[in-house]
Amino acid sequence: MVKAQVILAAALVGSASAFNASPMKMSAVATEGRRDFLKAITWTTTAAVVASVPLAATAEVVVPPQSTEYKFPDDWGLKYNYEQDAEKVKNHMFTATGLA
């Protein structure tokens, strides 16, 4: 939510600054103002997008060793009793994910 507000604020500031008249330059060509506006919007949008890109994570990832020996489950089928079926599913999932 905060990133969206920052991007919106940057875009609004860029749009407003694109319409400010430059005291040093007088232009008789109407398309020059439009071109300056598009340049300002492009740079503002690019800066907002670059600022919102997350930086790479620097935390070290530690993967626990997985078991290579396991007993293949032989208790298949449901009993339609929540506690028994949940225990069975939990045991099967431990084996399936290598956490047995």
Side-chain angles (χ1 to χ4, degrees):
M1 184 67 180
V2 174
K3 285 184 184 179
Q5 291 173 346
V6 170
I7 291 171
L8 180 62
L12 290 174
V13 168
S15 328
S17 66
F19 286 110
N20 286 344
S22 174
M24 304 301 277
K25 175 175 66 169
M26 296 297 286
S27 174
V29 181
T31 59
E32 190 172 327
R34 216 177 300 149
R35 191 176 307 127
D36 290 341
F37 171 74
L38 291 175
K39 275 197 267 183
I41 288 296
T42 302
W43 282 111
T44 304
T45 306
T46 303
V49 168
V50 168
S52 68
V53 173
L55 300 175
T58 57
E60 183 179 338
V61 177
V62 179
V63 178
Q66 295 184 340
S67 63
T68 56
E69 297 178 12
Y70 58 89
K71 177 186 171 289
F72 192 79
D74 55 1
D75 55 343
W76 298 95
L78 297 175
K79 303 289 187 206
Y80 299 102
N81 179 337
Y82 180 79
E83 288 79 18
Q84 292 174 354
D85 290 342
E87 182 68 25
K88 191 183 302 184
V89 169
K90 180 188 70 116
N91 293 337
H92 284 224
M93 291 307 296
F94 272 17
T95 303
T97 58
L99 299 174

